[in-house]
Amino acid sequence: MKIFLIHPKAEGSFRMPPLGLQIIATVLKEHGYESIYDIDPNKGDDPYGLDYSGKDVLVGITVTYMTVLEVSRLAEWIKNKNREATIILGGPQTTLEPEESIHNKNVDVVVIGEGHETILEIAGRMSEKKTLEGIKGVWYKNEKKEIIKNRPRNFTKNLDTIPYIDRSFFHERDYVRHQGTFLEKWFVPVTWYMMTAFSCPYNCNMCQPGLRKIAGPWRQRSVAHVIREIQFLKEKYHAKVISFYDNDMGINKEWLKEFCRETKKIKGIVLKCCGRANLLDYEMLKIMKEGGFHSITVGAESGSDRVLKDIMNKKTAVRDIIDIARNCYKLKIRLGTFWMLANPGETLEEMKETIALASELPVFYAHFHLAVPNPGTQYYLDALQGGYLKLSSWNDVSDRRHPAIIKDGVTVDDIMNIDEYLITTMVKKGWNYTYNPPTLSFFNTRRFLRWFPLLVFGNEMNMFLRDFKFYHFRNVYLGLLYWLNPKEAEM
């Protein structure tokens, strides 16, 4: 049997390996399926250039809302090459909208929910020339082209039963080498990605209830299970930098404290993660720093308490964001922040409050997105019901000139002007920036030059080679002033 696992390219997506497909590929390989082609166009591979011929061909494709059109095009192309190929769709979009997926004439099977157990049963039935009747978590078309909807599959309760990812399908370095600048390609250490937990227990309107439908209830691996995988990566691949996919690393504080006690014993490892501003106080951050965490990213989202509470249901406050920024700065942890503009019902003044706060915080980098009503979220459901979802195609999500939410008197021109205001404000205060279609990313030179001179100088040079903006020289000058006057760097 020939098995293809494809993760179609999404415009503006982050350069991170597809852990879900890696788990599926690992499970298949462990059960004797050897001809597995793990393909990701983000590292330069071309799914249109592969040989899909043969009688026993299984093609599994991950679908997100940003790749729906590309998946449909690819499925049609494969069927034109081999009508006998079995095309299986899985991923977030198929779980949220399985009807749309299964009614595609070129799709044979849809996997709903977690796929690592389901795909194994599908491959087994195909090998034995049997139907997919009764396989949980599967919708499929029978020989009469009738749609059969099997019962849902429960989410895996014990994450320790999921095998460690087989890293031999590709090298993590590929996710930097093919896209980055010269400095990124050859001198930035390889980042290895892991997860310690699935899903999130919070109910933020921009994520839920869709995330819980996709990922199930929040669950976490045991400390021992995660530590063994880190040690394996260090011993076999000489891993030095490990980044965790988890939505919020600080949900289980006792787990995190135990984990940091163990990582403290592993020399030469740098850890990165995401967290929540209201969960990581100074003492917890100090424990994390001692355990090897040098970089943390939080979803700060807004500089307005009203937006955080009434629009986002975030359960954090501006005070929490300020506190974690100050504490990380004191501990020399490089804090990153994600911000959202043009949330439904947000005013222009509140957007400016967000920009003002972000520009003054002592954080290493800040990423700005326009609010996107992801399918299945409260943002999406409210926008549909309220008639303010302005989106002709999900492909437009990657274009900041086509905001998906237009509400309460805020216009497209207002949002585009906010982008210009954002750039002007941040650059004036010593930040440089790069534009990735859905994201404006800013890097803080003025505050961090005195602590990480080589890193900051390298970053400035990297950014200068990309866009040749002379303000980079001014940013270095501001950074030198902060270096000479440390007190001015405090907030």
Side-chain angles (χ1 to χ4, degrees):
M1 177 181 291
K2 290 166 65 175
I3 300 175
F4 298 85
L5 300 176
I6 304 175
H7 191 275
K9 184 177 182 179
E11 185 67 29
S13 60
F14 291 106
R15 299 191 301 269
M16 297 190 296
L19 291 186
L21 278 190
Q22 285 179 277
I23 292 173
I24 288 173
T26 299
V27 170
L28 288 168
K29 186 176 178 180
E30 285 189 348
H31 286 80
Y33 297 95
E34 297 181 356
S35 298
I36 302 170
Y37 303 84
D38 186 85
I39 306 145
D40 191 320
N42 282 324
K43 69 175 192 294
D45 291 336
D46 179 13
Y48 293 93
L50 294 164
D51 179 13
Y52 296 100
S53 63
K55 291 186 177 181
D56 296 318
V57 177
L58 185 157
V59 183
I61 309 175
T62 299
V63 191
T64 68
Y65 67 87
M66 293 180 69
T67 63
V68 170
L69 295 180
E70 171 59 19
V71 168
S72 181
R73 186 167 75 98
L74 179 59
E76 182 178 12
W77 191 90
I78 293 171
K79 280 293 188 180
N80 286 336
K81 293 292 181 180
N82 182 2
R83 297 305 303 177
E84 301 302 316
T86 299
I87 294 183
I88 304 173
L89 301 188
Q93 190 67 11
T94 63
T95 298
L96 293 172
E97 298 183 356
E99 292 282 357
E100 178 185 28
S101 299
I102 196 63
H103 279 95
N104 185 319
K105 65 179 182 180
N106 296 304
V107 173
D108 303 295
V109 184
V110 166
V111 173
I112 301 170
E114 293 174 343
H116 58 280
E117 294 180 354
T118 307
I119 194 67
L120 194 60
E121 291 190 46
I122 292 172
R125 296 284 185 88
M126 285 183 61
S127 299
E128 298 170 359
K129 310 299 182 185
K130 295 181 179 179
T131 71
L132 306 184
E133 182 181 359
I135 298 179
K136 293 181 180 179
V138 165
W139 289 10
Y140 69 99
K141 295 171 184 171
N142 62 17
E143 292 181 353
K144 298 179 181 179
K145 298 300 179 182
E146 297 169 329
I147 296 174
I148 309 299
K149 301 178 181 180
N150 293 345
R151 294 168 54 194
R153 182 181 294 272
N154 293 331
F155 290 96
T156 304
K157 291 183 179 180
N158 182 3
L159 298 187
D160 287 6
T161 61
I162 299 176
Y164 294 144
I165 290 173
D166 186 330
R167 308 278 175 164
S168 65
F169 292 103
F170 52 77
H171 196 286
E172 311 290 290
R173 167 62 77 182
D174 294 332
Y175 282 81
V176 174
R177 182 172 289 152
H178 82 284
Q179 289 188 32
T181 63
F182 176 80
L183 292 174
E184 290 176 305
K185 289 176 183 178
W186 303 108
F187 296 104
V188 175
V190 176
T191 298
W192 298 83
Y193 292 91
M194 294 175 55
M195 290 191 75
T196 78
F198 290 0
S199 197
C200 177
Y202 287 87
N203 292 304
C204 303
N205 289 334
M206 57 283 214
C207 294
Q208 301 292 9
L211 175 61
R212 194 163 293 115
K213 187 174 181 180
I214 294 166
W218 183 83
R219 297 148 289 153
Q220 192 164 39
R221 298 163 60 186
S222 68
V223 169
H225 197 253
V226 178
I227 291 296
R228 284 196 298 271
E229 186 172 8
I230 292 175
Q231 291 171 332
F232 168 77
L233 290 176
K234 191 172 187 301
E235 292 169 5
K236 182 166 184 178
Y237 296 102
H238 309 290
K240 295 180 180 179
V241 182
I242 293 175
S243 182
F244 296 99
Y245 265 173
D246 303 35
N247 289 289
D248 302 302
M249 198 72 179
I251 290 172
N252 186 339
K253 290 189 176 182
E254 293 306 313
W255 184 100
L256 185 54
K257 289 176 182 178
E258 181 185 350
F259 179 71
C260 289
R261 284 195 293 270
E262 295 301 318
T263 56
K264 191 175 180 180
K265 303 172 186 176
I266 305 174
K267 303 302 180 184
I269 285 286
V270 172
L271 305 178
K272 302 179 180 181
C273 72
C274 294
R276 287 179 66 90
N278 61 322
L279 295 181
L280 303 177
D281 57 19
Y282 183 86
E283 293 305 317
M284 190 73 252
L285 290 168
K286 186 177 179 182
I287 291 170
M288 293 175 71
K289 179 63 184 292
E290 292 170 351
F293 284 91
H294 290 214
S295 178
I296 299 173
T297 303
V298 298
E301 314 302 5
S302 177
S304 163
D305 279 323
R306 187 190 79 87
V307 172
L308 289 169
K309 180 182 178 182
D310 297 340
I311 296 178
M312 295 182 172
N313 191 31
K314 181 72 178 175
K315 305 301 182 186
T316 58
V318 171
R319 184 74 255 169
D320 298 322
I321 299 167
I322 294 172
D323 286 345
I324 193 172
R326 285 177 170 172
N327 290 334
C328 283
Y329 194 73
K330 290 176 184 175
L331 292 166
K332 298 185 181 181
I333 295 173
R334 295 194 295 274
L335 181 70
T337 48
F338 283 103
W339 305 89
M340 292 177 64
L341 300 173
N343 294 279
E346 183 178 19
T347 67
L348 289 174
E349 285 305 313
E350 286 169 329
M351 295 182 210
K352 290 181 178 179
E353 287 177 25
T354 295
I355 294 168
L357 176 62
S359 69
E360 292 295 341
L361 287 177
V363 302
F364 189 61
Y365 57 86
H367 299 303
F368 286 82
H369 302 256
L370 297 186
V372 175
N374 293 333
T377 65
Q378 200 61 48
Y379 270 20
Y380 178 76
L381 298 173
D382 289 345
L384 276 182
Q385 184 177 1
Y388 54 86
L389 180 64
K390 309 298 181 183
L391 194 64
S392 59
S393 167
W394 285 112
N395 285 0
D396 290 342
V397 170
S398 63
D399 188 345
R400 296 177 76 89
R401 295 168 299 178
H402 295 89
I405 297 174
I406 301 295
K407 189 175 186 285
D408 294 346
V410 176
T411 67
V412 173
D413 287 341
D414 289 334
I415 294 172
M416 292 180 69
N417 290 334
I418 276 290
D419 262 4
E420 295 301 318
Y421 177 83
L422 167 63
I423 293 170
T424 301
T425 301
M426 300 294 279
V427 169
K428 278 183 179 179
K429 296 190 177 181
W431 299 68
N432 63 28
Y433 76 97
T434 182
Y435 177 54
N436 191 25
T439 311
L440 275 165
S441 299
F442 295 84
F443 300 88
N444 195 339
T445 298
R446 58 174 180 153
R447 294 185 187 273
F448 286 86
L449 186 63
R450 70 189 180 106
W451 280 350
F452 309 105
L454 292 178
L455 178 62
V456 171
F457 271 122
N459 183 63
E460 285 293 332
M461 180 60 69
N462 192 18
M463 302 296 289
F464 180 74
L465 291 174
R466 281 182 173 182
D467 58 17
F468 300 100
K469 293 294 192 332
F470 284 98
Y471 69 77
H472 291 290
F473 295 112
R474 175 178 171 273
N475 291 349
V476 172
Y477 168 73
L478 291 174
L480 290 171
L481 290 182
Y482 271 70
W483 199 352
L484 296 171
N485 300 281
K487 289 185 179 180
E488 292 186 19
E490 305 297 336
M491 181 180 175

